[in-house]
């Protein structure tokens, strides 16, 4: 399947960044070193956790590349099946505080892990958060340039866990992978103009204007946001500010106000930013300003693509931020700053995010029994992680769902999957289900009591010797397929019978147990 052009520009960073100083508040969240079997403590004071407690699928891989950052020296790859009939997702389940918003950053460095000769190119695949498609991951250009790729978004935690997934799609030609995941809890004033119950934010650009150094991040930024240098030899200016940004919207690091792009006297300052063309969509824009002269101020008009973004903006050495929650952009974007005072215009930093709608989730009363069913199966399908029904094309293997005002599980087809273990009695809590099949597996034990499943119409079975009665209150025809395995004689018999709904429940139960008895006596 094809995706529309992604809103999210791939950002890259050098594999050989310098070590930062170590005086900053600890990050509130999780840093996951994918593919690692032991926790990693890096020289910037951060602890990266081994990923084994957060993911069930995939294989750890090691890269032996001289000079590679330790976090990038391992990765986790996931199963790839040529001729894929349906997309498959593989998810990390990461603990969160319900109602908090999180910065989520995924990092990818291919390193030729599946090609000893290094002759192949990285796979292209999707990434998903909870039930929402985020973006397509394509790291080919970055890998050719010798750098890793990262994607960053801001999401609301709607439960006690958030799933971060990579997913094979029809354009995936080899095993998807991931190198690192960061989940950092943000404070309430950060990006709080966005309605995160409706939208998530995907980072397009975060720039430190006038800076010529490497990426600015933790410990200068308490949330480990990456501020990319954006410089222009004709307009750079450095200064030293003794300001506090603790009262600013979005809590930017104070150090970003020490550099700026400053226009020429009597002229507007015009930037093409971000540098890439954008698809027609809605964006969040935040611009940061501080006068480079102490105890001074200047007044600006700010335009985005010639539309008035802010008029008569008074910029002082104390600094400020202005932002728009929803601003339509398309193609290349121009930021224009015009001074209305004797001093020329300036700008220190900027952030721009694409907004995208949050997908719905499977109802909790269906997720809970499915998780218990998964636990009762010895080796459940590898893609049974994340939301069972969402996104629509990424439902769990064997799980069919309805997508009306609620997302419900309506069929469970486990046939011919080579499964073993038992069937959890919690299957009886899938109250919207109409069809169940256990056929041709190696389950043991009885089929649980299914009498609560008032919508169940079809049940297919081949392994179990006991079956409780079904009950239906309205509509349709009961259809039962019993393919009873005769362990002692090594052959199977089958029986199929339709029963109209005006027959009594008791009569149906009698019939059903009579069928089983006759098969066992045969």
């Amino acid at each position: 399947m094809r995706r529309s052009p992604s809103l999210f520009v791939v950002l890259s960073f050098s594999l050989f960044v310098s070590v930062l100083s170590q005086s900053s508040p600890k990050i509130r969240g999780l840093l996951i070193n994918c593919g690692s079997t032991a926790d990693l403590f890096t020289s910037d004071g951060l602890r990266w956790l081994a990923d084994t407690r957060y993911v069930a699928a995939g294989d750890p891989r090691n890269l032996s590349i001289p000079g590679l950052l330790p976090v990038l020296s391992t990765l986790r790859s996931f199963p790839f099946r040529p001729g894929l009939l349906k997309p498959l997702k593989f998810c990390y389940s990461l603990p969160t505080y319900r109602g908090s918003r999180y910065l989520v950053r995924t990092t990818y460095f291919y390193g030729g892990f599946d090609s000893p000769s290094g002759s192949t190119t990285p796979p292209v695949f999707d990434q998903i958060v909870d039930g929402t498609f985020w973006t397509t991951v394509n790291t080919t250009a970055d890998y050719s340039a010798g750098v890793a790729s990262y994607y960053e978004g801001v999401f609301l935690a709607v439960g006690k866990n958030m799933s971060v997934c990579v997913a094979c799609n029809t354009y995936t030609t080899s095993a998807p992978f991931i190198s690192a995941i960061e989940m950092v809890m943000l404070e309430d004033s950060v990006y709080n103009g966005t309605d995160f119950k409706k939208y998530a934010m995907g980072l397009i650009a975060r720039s430190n204007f006038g800076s010529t150094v490497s990426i600015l991040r933790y410990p200068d930024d308490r949330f480990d946001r990456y501020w990319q240098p954006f410089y222009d030899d004709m307009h750079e200016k450095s200064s030293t500010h003794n300001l506090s940004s603790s009262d600013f919207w979005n809590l930017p690091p104070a150090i970003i106000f020490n550099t700026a792009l400053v226009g020429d006297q009597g002229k507007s300052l015009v930037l093409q930013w971000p540098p890439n063309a954008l698809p027609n969509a809605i964006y969040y824009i935040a611009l940061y300003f501080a006068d480079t002269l102490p105890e001074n101020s200047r007044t600006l008009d700010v335009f985005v693509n010639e539309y008035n973004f802010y008029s008569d903006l008074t910029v002082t050495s104390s600094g400020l931020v202005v932002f728009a929650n929803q601003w339509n952009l398309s193609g290349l974007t121009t930021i224009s700053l015009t001074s209305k005072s004797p001093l020329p215009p300036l700008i220190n930093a900027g952030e721009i995010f694409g907004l995208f709608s949050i997908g719905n989730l499977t109802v909790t009363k269906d997720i809970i029994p499915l998780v218990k069913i998964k636990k009762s199966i010895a080796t459940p399908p590898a893609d049974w992680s994340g939301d069972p029904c969402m996104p629509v094309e990424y439902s769990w293997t064997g799980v069919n769902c309805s997508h009306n005002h609620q997302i419900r599980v309506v069929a469970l087809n486990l046939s011919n999957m080579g499964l073993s273990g038992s069937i959890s009695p919690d299957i009886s809590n899938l109250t919207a289900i109409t069809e169940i099949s256990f056929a041709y597996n190696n389950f043991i034990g009885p089929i649980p009591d299914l009498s609560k499943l008032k919508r169940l119409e079809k049940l297919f079975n081949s392994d179990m010797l006991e079956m409780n009665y079904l009950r239906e209150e309205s509509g349709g025809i009961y259809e039962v397929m019993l393919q009873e395995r005769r362990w002692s004689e090594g052959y199977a018999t089958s029986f199929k019978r339709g029963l109209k709904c005006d027959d009594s429940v008791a009569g149906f139960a009698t019939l059903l147990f009579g069928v089983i008895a006759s098969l066992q006596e045969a």
Side-chain angles (χ1 to χ4, degrees):
M1 100 194 29
R2 292 286 181 184
R3 292 282 182 189
S4 59
S6 172
L7 292 179
F8 313 107
V9 179
V10 177
L11 305 171
S12 61
F13 60 93
S14 170
L15 301 183
F16 311 107
V17 299
S18 59
V19 175
L20 300 170
S21 61
Q22 300 185 31
S23 57
S24 184
K26 294 297 184 181
I27 289 176
R28 298 174 64 196
L30 293 173
L31 308 180
I32 308 299
N33 188 15
C34 301
S36 176
T37 56
D39 293 354
L40 171 68
F41 294 86
T42 54
S43 56
D44 52 12
L46 298 178
R47 178 185 182 186
W48 293 81
L49 303 176
D51 70 346
T52 50
R53 72 200 80 172
Y54 305 108
V55 64
D59 298 308
R61 307 281 189 137
N62 293 293
L63 301 178
S64 299
I65 300 176
L68 193 63
L69 286 175
V71 172
L72 299 181
S73 65
T74 62
L75 59 86
R76 181 171 291 271
S77 66
F78 297 91
F80 170 70
R81 301 173 187 170
L84 188 69
L85 297 178
K86 71 175 289 291
L88 298 175
K89 66 174 183 279
F90 308 98
C91 302
Y92 284 77
S93 181
L94 304 172
T96 57
Y97 290 97
R98 187 195 307 268
S100 296
R101 69 183 69 102
Y102 285 82
L103 179 150
V104 178
R105 181 161 52 238
T106 53
T107 301
Y108 302 90
F109 182 66
Y110 172 57
F113 72 87
D114 56 356
S115 174
S117 64
S119 59
T120 60
T121 58
V124 177
F125 49 92
D126 294 342
Q127 60 180 2
I128 294 162
V129 172
D130 286 337
T132 300
F133 170 81
W134 181 0
T135 188
T136 297
V137 175
N138 187 342
T139 67
T140 303
D142 284 332
Y143 180 61
S144 297
V147 296
S149 303
Y150 72 87
Y151 296 77
E152 183 183 310
V154 181
F155 298 86
L156 180 70
V158 297
K160 295 181 179 179
N161 292 277
M162 183 182 293
S163 61
V164 178
C165 318
V166 298
C168 299
N169 212 317
T170 53
Y171 38 71
T172 305
T173 58
S174 58
F177 69 96
I178 189 167
S179 302
I181 303 172
E182 297 165 78
M183 284 189 54
V184 180
M185 186 190 302
L186 300 175
E187 295 188 14
D188 290 343
S189 66
V190 180
Y191 313 129
N192 66 353
T194 298
D195 184 353
F196 285 99
K197 293 182 179 179
K198 294 182 179 179
Y199 299 103
M201 300 168 63
L203 182 66
I204 302 297
R206 181 184 291 115
S207 299
N208 187 14
F209 296 127
S211 173
T212 59
V213 300
S214 60
I215 290 176
L216 176 68
R217 48 164 298 198
Y218 181 87
D220 295 302
D221 189 304
R222 72 183 77 178
F223 307 114
D224 199 23
R225 291 171 294 189
Y226 292 174
W227 299 81
Q228 298 269 3
F230 187 105
Y231 53 89
D232 176 347
D233 292 339
M234 297 180 62
H235 298 104
E236 296 167 14
K237 187 173 181 64
S238 298
S239 62
T240 301
H241 282 79
N242 186 24
L243 61 81
S244 170
S245 59
S246 59
D247 294 328
F248 283 46
W249 294 106
N250 299 341
L251 298 177
I255 196 173
I256 66 169
F257 296 102
N258 288 347
T259 59
L261 293 178
V262 181
D264 296 324
Q265 192 74 35
K267 295 182 180 180
S268 296
L269 176 62
V270 180
L271 311 174
Q272 182 179 303
W273 178 83
N276 302 83
L278 301 176
N280 185 11
I282 302 298
Y283 296 84
Y284 173 100
I285 304 173
L287 303 176
Y288 301 85
F289 301 88
D291 201 300
T292 55
L293 300 175
E295 306 300 326
N296 195 66
S297 68
R298 64 191 76 193
T299 302
L300 314 174
D301 285 341
V302 183
F303 298 88
V304 176
N305 289 342
E306 300 183 354
Y307 290 96
N308 190 354
F309 189 80
Y310 203 102
S311 296
D312 297 325
L313 177 66
T314 300
V315 177
T316 71
S317 55
S318 297
L320 56 85
V321 55
V322 293
F323 63 89
N325 295 333
Q326 296 189 15
W327 192 275
N328 186 263
L329 295 174
S330 179
L332 294 175
T333 302
T334 299
I335 308 294
S336 300
L337 307 166
T338 302
S339 179
K340 301 180 77 172
S341 59
L343 293 171
L346 57 74
I347 187 170
N348 301 83
E351 294 180 282
I352 182 168
F353 293 84
L355 301 183
F356 57 102
S357 297
I358 290 295
N360 293 325
L361 298 173
T362 308
V363 297
T364 303
K365 61 184 176 182
D366 283 356
I367 293 177
I368 292 172
L370 277 177
V371 169
K372 292 183 178 179
I373 292 168
K374 175 183 175 180
K375 290 180 178 179
S376 71
I377 298 174
T379 308
D383 67 333
W384 275 33
S385 58
D387 190 89
C389 299
M390 293 294 290
V392 174
E393 62 268 41
Y394 288 105
S395 61
W396 291 4
T397 297
V399 175
N400 294 332
C401 308
S402 64
H403 298 269
N404 300 316
H405 66 285
Q406 288 187 319
I407 300 174
R408 301 296 309 272
V409 175
V410 296
L412 186 62
N413 182 4
L414 305 181
S415 300
N416 292 294
M417 292 189 183
L419 304 177
S420 60
S422 60
I423 300 298
S424 169
D426 289 276
I427 195 171
S428 64
N429 292 323
L430 293 172
T431 54
I433 206 160
T434 62
E435 182 175 328
I436 299 173
S437 176
F438 310 121
Y440 306 110
N441 287 293
N442 296 298
F443 293 122
I444 59 174
I447 293 180
D449 181 359
L450 305 179
S451 59
K452 291 197 302 183
L453 302 182
K454 301 182 184 301
R455 300 182 185 180
L456 185 62
E457 298 173 356
K458 296 181 181 181
L459 175 65
F460 298 87
N461 172 60
S462 67
D463 295 320
M464 286 171 271
L465 300 178
E466 301 177 38
M467 182 179 295
N468 293 320
Y469 67 91
L470 309 177
R471 187 166 71 188
E472 179 78 28
E473 292 185 347
S474 62
I477 293 179
Y478 291 106
E479 184 176 297
V480 179
M481 174 68 79
L482 300 177
Q483 291 180 314
E484 183 64 33
R485 180 168 299 164
R486 303 304 301 275
W487 300 103
S488 58
E489 300 175 51
Y491 65 89
T493 43
S494 64
F495 181 90
K496 184 175 181 178
R497 171 70 182 266
L499 185 70
K500 294 182 179 179
C501 286
D502 53 274
D503 293 324
S504 69
V505 172
F508 177 67
T510 301
L511 169 66
L512 185 56
F513 285 114
V515 169
I516 296 173
S518 64
L519 289 173
Q520 291 175 337
E521 293 171 359

